[in-house]
């Protein structure tokens, strides 16, 4: 009955949003000729960093004294603001930069490119004011978090490795997947329900060292944005969140180098301009190269020779590349790429065993910007991304090989149309061709060969979207969006008919032939109502479809997990989330506070069946079971923005459960992603210009696991029986980290370009033995009558000190 009510609600809501969008387009068509007759003009241009020429994303341009008349820069720093003819005081602001206020006589269309700087002495011709600090109150966006790279680098890090994903784990509503792990759960969703983008390329596996470090080198990253609420309509394909990471463009004014040497790894980043004329300080193009590699196992090889780990080696590396070229003020080209690999090797002459396990991501992105006029901005994107995992092993005359992966080709068109100061329209389309490789394995024993017959999967994914950010007045702001997605499973593919799972009686589909097609209407809505000086109430609702799934038996994203696509058996996952929040700033915006409440319905959730055992020639789809779920909670957040002491406290109380007909006897059970309580405290204190300290404390309810409750004998073999699914909690997780950073300032040449810093950090200061996993140890004997099983807690990280030297010039 409840499901029927939800479906009726979805149909009504979708129909309403569709009618609302069509009405909006019709109104715009009627309004355009009227708008052309009014004497309005447009102020447009790009906002950039004065020091390196980087585009400033999300900067604000507004009429001073009336923030309702304003605009925000897009991902490429472009803004457009249309106003009636007149003289205005226009403010240009960005967090961490001095705001510029300029007097603009708007009697014609004006192109005004602005460079913002934190060096106020260099800005003699403009008025310097405080930065605009009330964006969290004024915007319609809920559940949006942005972290600067400088702030991320101030957080104490495991083994000195600055980690973007671990920094996001400290935000309310975002939980860590486990001890030291870079996987995340967002508002009760799984790790595969997060859309992780690096320069518009999907990153399917975000972890190094089986998930303990993320693949993102912080030195190459410019901006990180997390959406965990009603995500904008230009994003889709996942249920829980979007993590949009933008790489630096490269310094187009001067050569720049930075890097660091730590205990387990070193890194180096080079940025420089090219085609720089003598008459101009800014070049037409710039490039970036960034690399990182670990070497801990290389260093300790002599210590391993006389141990059981002799012949073992492990390392990972990342390479980031990016170049951009400006053909004119209206045209610009960006080319970027990422290549990363983990490699585990074990070679033992004693055991005559050889094992090699490489895995990793490769992405390439080409983006072309074109400015048609002062109001219409276009970005065309072409993306290639590839994730693969492989395993090869040999012992004596037995060898085994396995591989799996995902390969995508993607093209996307995004358009921003700045109609006037009240309406900002976005629309576009995106197409992706997927090639999924499930686990394909082969083995050889002597003269006998074994090989799996699991087919690759191919599919089309297509989406169209449109949205309107409507500023009704200074108090009320609305954001309407609609996304229509389509997914189609195509050939070549062999479909098993009947109940035969041995590979016979198979229907074959030719290349490109449609097998199963799904359509998904995805309405989005958000609103903000401001009252008083520093208060606002926000609400949002979003319906999302997900066509690509990660079916895993672990608690995080591991390289051995396999991505699968929707098919005739596997239906798309769906989620309907609605949220409401109260936002308030105190003491002239020094403190930001918020309370957000959310509720999420989930359909077509996927798990392995209780009796599933993977076999070479049996399609894994036949072992999946499907169910539904819900997640709800409240998030509390307080942040101190300015002063020597700054930081935040985030607390989440939540619940996430699932119900599967074929699991846990059909009864509701707690999801493995459930965390009842989650507390994060992050503090940074600048003692003086040279010394700073950082501290982090986290507390979370323990993971839910399925405990063993019986031990029996079957044909004289001990067999463990298990209780209800996820009915036991491991002990609560908590940990404190500290860091100390020393940045010397040369007394003789304090303004020289060379800068260095020394960072010392301690992970898990009070040596908390947090549970990594629990295994059941069987002791005793049936002969003596003392056979028993004992659960053993295994912890991973004790106190870990680390040291890193960083440099920049």
């Amino acid at each position: 009955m409840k499901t029927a009510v939800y479906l009726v609600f979805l149909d009504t809501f979708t129909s309403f949003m569709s009618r609302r969008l069509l009405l909006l387009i019709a109104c715009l068509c009627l309004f355009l000729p009227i708008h052309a007759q009014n004497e309005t003009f447009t102020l447009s241009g790009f906002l950039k960093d004065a020091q390196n020429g980087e585009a400033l994303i999300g900067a604000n341009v507004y009429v001073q004294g009336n923030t309702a008349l304003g605009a925000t820069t897009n991902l490429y720093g472009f803004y457009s603001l249309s106003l009636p003819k007149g003289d205005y005081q226009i403010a240009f602001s960005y967090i961490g930069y001095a705001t510029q206020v300029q007097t603009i006589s708007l009697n014609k269309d004006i192109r005004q490119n602005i460079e913002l700087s934190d060096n106020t002495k260099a800005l003699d011709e403009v008025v310097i004011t405080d930065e605009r600090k009330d964006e969290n109150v004024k915007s319609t966006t809920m559940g949006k978090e942005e972290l600067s790279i400088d702030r991320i680098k101030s957080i104490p890090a495991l083994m000195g490795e600055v980690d973007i994903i671990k920094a996001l784990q400290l935000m309310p509503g975002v939980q860590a997947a486990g001890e030291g792990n870079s996987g995340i759960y967002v508002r009760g969703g799984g790790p595969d329900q997060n859309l992780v983008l690096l320069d518009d390329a999907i990153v399917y596996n975000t972890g190094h060292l089986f998930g303990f470090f993320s693949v993102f080198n912080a030195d190459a990253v410019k901006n990180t944005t997390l959406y965990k609420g009603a995500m904008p309509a230009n994003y889709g394909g996942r249920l829980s969140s979007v993590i949009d990471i933008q790489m630096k463009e490269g310094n187009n004014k001067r050569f720049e180098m930075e890097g660091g040497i730590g205990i387990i790894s070193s890194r180096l980043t080079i940025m420089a301009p090219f085609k720089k004329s003598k008459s101009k300080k800014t070049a037409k193009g710039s490039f970036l190269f960034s690399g990182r590699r670990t070497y801990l196992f290389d260093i300790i090889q002599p210590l391993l020779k006389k141990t059981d780990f002799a012949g073992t080696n492990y390392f990972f590396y990342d390479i980031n590349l990016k170049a951009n070229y400006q053909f004119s003020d209206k045209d610009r080209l960006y080319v970027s790429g990422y290549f990363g690999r983990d490699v585990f090797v074990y070679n033992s002459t004693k055991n005559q065993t050889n094992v090699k396990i490489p895995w990793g991501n490769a992405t390439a992105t080409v983006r072309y910007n074109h400015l048609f006029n002062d109001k219409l901005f276009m970005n065309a994107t072409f993306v290639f991304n590839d994730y693969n995992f492989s395993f090869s092993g040999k012992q004596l005359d037995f060898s085994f090989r396995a591989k799996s992966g995902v390969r995508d080709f993607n093209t996307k068109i995004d358009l921003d149309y700045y109609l006037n100061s009240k309406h900002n329209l976005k629309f576009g389309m995106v197409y992706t061709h997927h090639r999924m490789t499930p686990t394909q394995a082969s083995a050889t024993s002597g003269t006998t060969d074994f090989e799996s017959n699991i087919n690759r999967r191919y599919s089309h994914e297509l989406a169209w979207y449109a949205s309107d950010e409507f500023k009704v007045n200074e108090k009320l702001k609305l954001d309407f969006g609609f996304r229509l997605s389509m997914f189609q499973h195509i050939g070549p593919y062999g479909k098993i008919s009947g109940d035969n799972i041995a590979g016979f009686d198979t229907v074959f589909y030719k290349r490109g032939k449609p097998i199963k097609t799904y359509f998904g209407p995805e309405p989005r809505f958000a609103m903000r109502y401001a009252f008083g000086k520093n208060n606002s109430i926000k609400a949002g609702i979003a319906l999302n479809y997900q066509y690509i799934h990660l079916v895993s038996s672990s608690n995080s994203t591991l390289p051995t997990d396999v991505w699968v696509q929707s098919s005739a058996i596997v239906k798309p996952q769906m989620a309907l989330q609605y949220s409401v929040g109260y936002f308030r700033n105190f003491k002239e915006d020094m403190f930001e506070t918020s309370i957000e409440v959310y509720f999420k319905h989930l359909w077509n959730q996927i798990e392995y069946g209780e009796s599933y055992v993977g076999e070479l020639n049996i399609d894994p789809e036949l072992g999946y079971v499907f169910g539904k779920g819900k997640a709800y909670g409240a998030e509390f957040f307080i942040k101190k923005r300015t002063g020597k002491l700054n930081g935040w406290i985030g607390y989440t109380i939540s619940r996430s459960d699932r119900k599967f007909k074929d699991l846990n006897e059909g009864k509701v059970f707690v999801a493995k992603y459930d965390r009842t309580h989650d507390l994060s405290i992050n503090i940074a204190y600048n003692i003086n210009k040279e010394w700073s300290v950082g501290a982090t404390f986290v507390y979370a309810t323990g993971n839910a696991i399925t405990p063993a409750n019986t031990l029996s004998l079957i044909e004289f073999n001990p067999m463990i029986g298990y209780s209800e699914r996820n009915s036991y909690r491991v002990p609560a997780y908590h940990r404190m980290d500290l860091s100390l950073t020393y940045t010397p300032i040369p007394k003789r040449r304090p303004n020289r370009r060379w800068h260095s810093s020394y960072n010392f950090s301690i992970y898990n200061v009070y040596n908390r033995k947090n549970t990594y996993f629990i295994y059941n140890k069987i002791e005793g004997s049936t002969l003596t009558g003392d056979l028993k099983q004992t659960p053993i807690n295994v912890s991973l990280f004790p106190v870990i000190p680390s040291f890193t030297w960083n440099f920049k010039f």
Side-chain angles (χ1 to χ4, degrees):
M1 179 64 182
K2 290 183 177 180
T3 301
V5 172
Y6 293 148
L7 293 176
V8 170
F9 171 75
L10 288 179
D11 182 67
T12 304
F13 180 55
T14 301
S15 300
F16 167 76
M17 291 298 292
S18 301
R19 292 194 300 269
R20 176 66 179 83
L21 192 63
L22 292 173
L23 180 62
L24 172 64
I25 295 172
C27 290
L28 291 177
C29 293
L30 294 173
F31 177 75
L32 283 173
I34 300 174
H35 170 71
Q37 296 172 5
N38 293 334
E39 197 171 14
T40 61
F41 299 101
T42 300
L43 175 68
S44 63
F46 292 86
L47 263 66
K48 297 183 179 181
D49 187 308
Q51 197 170 29
N52 55 32
E54 292 269 359
L56 298 180
I57 302 171
N60 296 294
V61 180
Y62 57 97
V63 176
Q64 196 171 37
N66 187 355
T67 56
L69 298 176
T72 302
T73 59
N74 64 11
L75 286 175
Y76 304 94
F78 177 75
Y79 73 93
S80 178
L81 179 61
S82 296
L83 298 168
K85 179 181 179 180
D87 295 333
Y88 297 92
Q89 293 286 315
I90 304 295
F92 303 88
S93 73
Y94 189 66
I95 295 174
Y97 291 72
T99 296
Q100 292 188 31
V101 178
Q102 296 190 3
T103 300
I104 304 291
S105 294
L106 201 60
N107 51 23
K108 62 180 179 178
D109 292 337
I110 296 176
R111 179 70 53 81
Q112 187 81 355
N113 296 329
I114 298 292
E115 291 188 343
L116 296 184
S117 174
D118 56 4
N119 183 3
T120 58
K121 294 181 180 179
L123 304 173
D124 298 329
E125 71 280 6
V126 297
V127 179
I128 305 302
T129 65
D130 291 335
E131 64 187 35
R132 186 182 178 190
K133 305 170 184 176
D134 57 356
E135 184 65 16
N136 66 309
V137 174
K138 299 300 184 183
S139 70
T140 57
T141 309
M142 288 184 64
K144 179 183 177 181
E145 308 289 353
E146 290 188 274
L147 285 177
S148 69
I149 291 302
D150 289 339
R151 190 70 183 91
I152 292 172
K153 289 183 176 180
S154 71
I155 298 172
L158 172 62
M159 298 184 185
E161 288 297 305
V162 175
D163 197 313
I164 292 172
I165 301 297
K166 282 191 174 63
L168 292 176
Q169 292 173 357
L170 301 176
M171 307 310 295
V174 183
Q175 288 85 40
E179 169 71 286
N181 208 296
S182 64
I184 59 173
Y185 306 147
V186 178
R187 291 187 170 179
D192 69 316
Q193 294 176 358
N194 306 309
L195 178 65
V196 183
L197 300 172
L198 178 64
D199 271 3
D200 281 330
I202 296 176
V203 180
Y204 281 96
N205 187 279
T206 60
H208 283 308
L209 189 57
F210 300 98
F212 291 113
F213 303 105
S214 76
V215 300
F216 305 109
N217 181 357
D219 287 348
V221 172
K222 174 173 67 174
N223 190 71
T224 301
T225 305
L226 167 70
Y227 296 94
K228 57 184 178 177
M231 63 183 70
N234 55 305
Y235 296 107
R238 299 294 187 271
L239 301 186
S240 292
S241 75
V242 177
I243 301 173
D244 193 352
I245 300 172
Q246 300 292 325
M247 289 170 54
K248 293 177 180 177
E249 298 168 8
N251 196 321
N252 69 355
K253 297 197 173 185
R254 61 180 178 85
F255 177 85
E256 183 179 343
M257 179 185 292
E258 65 178 306
I261 300 175
I263 294 176
I264 69 167
S265 73
S266 290
R267 63 191 193 280
L268 178 67
T269 300
I270 298 173
M271 295 181 285
F274 61 86
K275 204 168 183 180
K276 186 175 182 180
S277 63
K278 295 181 180 180
S279 60
K280 295 183 178 180
K281 295 182 179 180
T282 302
K284 284 196 170 185
S286 61
F287 73 88
L288 171 145
F289 167 84
S290 186
R292 175 177 64 161
R293 191 191 189 279
T294 58
Y295 41 66
L296 180 62
F297 272 84
D298 297 323
I299 295 174
I300 65 174
Q301 282 300 308
L303 303 177
L304 299 177
K305 287 183 178 180
K306 295 183 179 181
T307 70
D308 293 337
F309 297 99
T312 302
N313 199 357
Y314 167 81
F315 62 90
F316 69 75
Y317 61 89
D318 302 296
I319 297 174
N320 295 80
L321 299 167
K322 189 167 184 176
N324 71 89
Y325 185 79
Q326 184 173 352
F327 297 97
S328 67
D329 198 33
K330 293 185 176 183
D331 298 276
R332 192 161 192 164
L333 180 69
Y334 298 84
V335 180
S336 60
Y338 166 81
F339 186 82
R341 279 291 179 271
D342 289 67
V343 179
F344 174 82
V345 177
Y346 176 69
N347 294 310
S348 173
T349 55
K350 180 180 178 180
N351 299 325
Q352 299 185 47
T353 302
N354 304 97
V355 175
K356 186 175 183 179
I357 311 175
W359 71 94
N361 304 278
T363 71
T365 304
V366 178
R367 292 184 286 187
Y368 172 66
N369 294 170
H370 179 69
L371 188 61
F372 288 99
N373 52 50
D374 293 330
K375 293 174 178 274
L376 184 59
F377 180 94
M378 181 204 73
N379 178 64
T381 306
F382 305 93
V383 176
F384 166 81
N385 63 309
D386 181 78
Y387 167 70
N388 65 76
F389 168 83
S390 64
F391 175 97
S392 62
K394 183 177 181 181
Q395 185 176 37
L396 299 176
D397 65 343
F398 176 78
S399 62
F400 180 81
R401 295 169 298 279
K403 64 178 180 179
S404 64
V406 183
R407 176 173 292 180
D408 290 346
F409 292 92
N410 171 284
T411 183
K412 184 171 66 164
I413 300 291
D414 299 292
L415 295 109
D416 293 352
Y417 184 62
Y418 302 85
L419 180 63
N420 52 42
S421 60
K422 289 182 176 293
H423 291 277
N424 180 12
L425 306 178
K426 294 184 178 182
F427 48 95
M429 61 81 63
V430 56
Y431 164 76
T432 304
H433 178 271
H434 297 289
R435 189 193 76 179
M436 299 283 176
T437 303
T439 301
Q440 295 181 333
S442 62
T444 302
S445 180
T447 59
T448 305
D449 295 331
F450 308 89
E451 188 170 357
S452 65
N453 294 318
I454 307 301
N455 297 320
R456 281 177 173 169
R457 268 70 164 173
Y458 300 87
S459 57
H460 301 304
E461 187 171 357
L462 183 65
W464 301 266
Y465 74 89
S467 67
D468 176 25
E469 187 181 274
F470 177 28
K471 301 174 185 176
V472 180
N473 51 46
E474 196 163 354
K475 289 187 176 182
L476 183 61
K477 192 175 182 181
L478 306 175
D479 197 335
F480 295 94
F482 188 81
R483 183 182 181 94
L484 178 62
S485 59
M486 185 275 288
F487 185 88
Q488 186 175 74
H489 180 196
I490 61 172
Y493 180 67
K495 180 181 178 182
I496 299 171
S497 61
D499 297 325
N500 194 320
I501 61 174
F504 301 101
D505 300 328
T506 303
V507 179
F508 290 99
Y509 293 85
K510 294 182 180 180
R511 181 178 298 275
K513 185 175 179 61
I515 301 171
K516 182 65 177 180
T517 303
Y518 293 99
F519 286 93
E522 304 180 38
R524 317 279 171 85
F525 171 75
M527 61 82 64
R528 179 228 67 196
Y529 182 78
F531 58 96
K533 183 180 179 182
N534 298 307
N535 300 269
S536 69
I537 294 175
K538 302 181 186 181
I541 184 170
L543 177 64
N544 295 77
Y545 283 76
Q546 180 169 329
Y547 301 100
I548 306 297
H549 326 281
L550 185 71
V551 187
S552 172
S553 58
S554 65
N555 286 333
S556 63
T557 304
L558 294 177
T560 51
D561 296 334
V562 177
W563 288 87
V564 298
Q565 66 176 37
S566 295
S567 65
I569 297 176
V570 181
K571 293 180 174 57
Q573 297 182 66
M574 294 171 55
L576 174 66
Q577 179 180 204
Y578 22 89
S579 53
V580 62
Y582 171 66
F583 297 76
R584 178 168 182 174
N585 290 0
F586 295 91
K587 300 195 74 170
E588 297 183 350
D589 299 308
M590 177 183 289
F591 292 93
E592 295 179 359
T593 63
S594 65
I595 301 173
E596 294 187 43
V597 180
Y598 68 90
F599 196 102
K600 187 190 300 183
H601 294 286
L602 299 158
W603 292 275
N604 300 330
Q605 301 301 285
I606 307 173
E607 295 278 1
Y608 283 115
E610 291 179 339
S611 59
Y612 174 77
V613 178
E615 296 185 29
L616 285 182
N617 288 321
I618 295 182
D619 194 323
E621 284 189 354
L622 301 176
Y624 301 154
V625 294
F626 307 94
K628 60 183 180 179
K630 62 180 182 291
Y632 51 90
E635 301 167 0
F636 303 84
F637 188 62
I638 180 169
K639 178 181 181 180
K640 186 175 185 292
R641 302 179 65 257
T642 59
K644 285 191 171 184
L645 178 68
N646 56 79
W648 67 80
I649 300 174
Y651 170 70
T652 305
I653 181 169
S654 61
R655 170 83 176 186
S656 181
D657 58 42
R658 302 290 185 269
K659 185 176 182 180
F660 285 70
K661 178 182 178 182
D662 300 309
L663 294 178
N664 203 47
E665 300 179 349
K667 295 183 289 186
V668 174
F669 59 89
V670 173
K672 58 186 176 184
Y673 318 122
D674 178 76
R675 301 286 187 276
T676 307
H677 303 282
D678 188 86
L679 172 70
S680 299
I681 302 174
N682 180 255
I683 296 173
Y685 180 68
N686 296 315
I687 301 172
N688 53 42
K689 292 183 178 180
E690 293 187 318
W691 292 92
S692 62
V693 295
T696 297
F697 175 77
V698 293
Y699 174 91
T701 302
N703 292 348
I705 65 170
T706 304
N709 64 349
T710 61
L711 179 63
S712 59
L713 290 175
I714 298 179
E715 295 181 356
F716 300 101
N717 293 314
M719 300 294 292
I720 297 175
Y722 291 90
S723 184
E724 291 190 359
R725 194 177 186 91
N726 296 342
S727 59
Y728 176 76
R729 297 276 188 181
V730 303
Y733 180 95
H734 53 88
R735 187 194 80 243
M736 176 180 285
D737 308 327
L738 296 175
S739 70
L740 176 67
T741 302
Y742 172 59
T743 307
I745 300 176
K747 295 182 179 179
R748 293 184 179 180
R749 298 174 59 193
N751 296 322
R752 70 176 185 174
R753 287 180 55 185
W754 173 270
H755 298 281
S756 66
S757 64
Y758 304 87
N759 178 270
F760 177 75
S761 63
I762 303 176
Y763 182 89
N764 196 8
V765 172
Y766 53 85
N767 196 28
R768 165 69 176 179
K769 294 182 178 180
N770 290 300
T771 301
Y772 183 58
F773 66 87
I774 295 178
Y775 76 92
N776 295 289
K777 183 178 181 181
I778 299 177
E779 300 174 301
S781 170
T782 56
L783 299 177
T784 57
D786 60 350
L787 182 67
K788 64 177 182 178
Q789 62 91 14
T790 305
I792 304 296
N793 281 327
V794 177
S795 60
L796 195 62
F797 294 122
V799 176
I800 301 179
S802 61
F803 174 80
T804 305
W805 174 59
N806 301 298
F807 61 88
K808 182 177 181 179
F809 67 90

